[in-house]
Amino acid sequence: MKKIIAGLQKIQILAGGLFLLIFLLTVVTQMFTRYVGIVATWTEDVEMYSFIWAVFMGASAMVYEKKHFAFTALNDSFKNNPRASKKLSIVISVLMLIFCVLMAFYGIKLTKQFWNYTWVNIPKFKRGVTWICLPIAGFSSAIYLIDSIIADFASLKSLKKSENGAK
């Protein structure tokens, strides 16, 4: 299961990087077309939606590494107490999980609502496809958080066993 989750995270990093590359290439294209006097209005839509995808894919991938959201000052105060640190990690993960489930739920509703809307400058493209990154990010982040919560509970259990064995 760990390999599947790690593979999902790698796919999201690649997708985020690809969309970031598309964003950067589109910005360069827009700068070039403006310089030579060509109107390329489509670049604005592509820039915006590729950046949105890059952000949501990257944010989800960082949830896996616990680099997206942290109370470092609070966590640093528990450096000498690993049990308290793990409990804090579980609380933070549960709060984030609630947010991610809501993000997935409302992301699905938003995607359905905008599915048949078209892009302003590229009417052949549907907007629903651009917003599907919300439920994808919500579901994948929820998977990462559930895995993290399970690992933290297992770590707490092993800490308890080692404390009882040391007595």
Side-chain angles (χ1 to χ4, degrees):
M1 190 63 172
K2 285 275 188 201
K3 286 184 180 182
I4 294 171
I5 293 172
L8 177 62
Q9 190 241 7
K10 286 185 190 327
I11 291 169
Q12 281 191 302
I13 288 174
L14 287 172
L18 175 67
F19 283 109
L20 193 59
L21 179 66
I22 291 169
F23 170 76
L24 293 172
L25 290 174
T26 309
V27 168
V28 169
T29 302
Q30 185 181 44
M31 290 169 43
F32 176 75
T33 57
R34 284 185 181 180
Y35 180 75
V36 296
I38 299 171
V39 177
T41 56
W42 61 270
T43 56
E44 293 175 20
D45 283 342
V46 173
E47 287 169 5
M48 179 173 49
Y49 294 122
S50 63
F51 188 73
I52 289 169
W53 267 86
V55 166
F56 280 102
M57 293 301 102
S60 296
M62 291 302 102
V63 168
Y64 175 79
E65 296 180 15
K66 293 188 176 188
K67 292 182 178 178
H68 181 262
F69 185 81
F71 291 107
T72 52
L74 190 56
N75 203 23
D76 288 347
S77 67
F78 293 127
K79 275 188 177 177
N80 296 331
N81 189 344
R83 286 176 52 89
S85 180
K86 288 294 174 191
K87 287 178 183 178
L88 175 64
S89 178
I90 291 169
V91 168
I92 291 170
S93 293
V94 167
L95 291 173
M96 288 176 59
L97 180 60
I98 292 167
F99 175 79
C100 291
V101 168
L102 290 172
M103 185 169 92
F105 176 75
Y106 287 107
I108 290 170
K109 289 182 85 160
L110 183 72
T111 302
K112 284 180 181 178
Q113 180 179 348
F114 287 112
W115 189 260
N116 288 319
Y117 285 47
T118 58
W119 288 20
V120 174
N121 294 309
I122 311 173
K124 291 185 181 183
F125 285 9
K126 301 287 184 189
R127 272 200 199 170
V129 176
T130 59
W131 290 111
I132 204 164
C133 65
L134 286 169
I136 290 172
F139 281 124
S140 59
S141 294
I143 290 168
Y144 301 147
L145 289 165
I146 291 168
D147 181 58
S148 176
I149 291 167
I150 291 168
D152 284 342
F153 271 118
S155 180
L156 264 176
K157 190 175 180 180
S158 67
L159 280 170
K160 190 174 184 177
K161 281 183 182 179
S162 66
E163 288 173 357
N164 288 339
K167 289 181 182 178

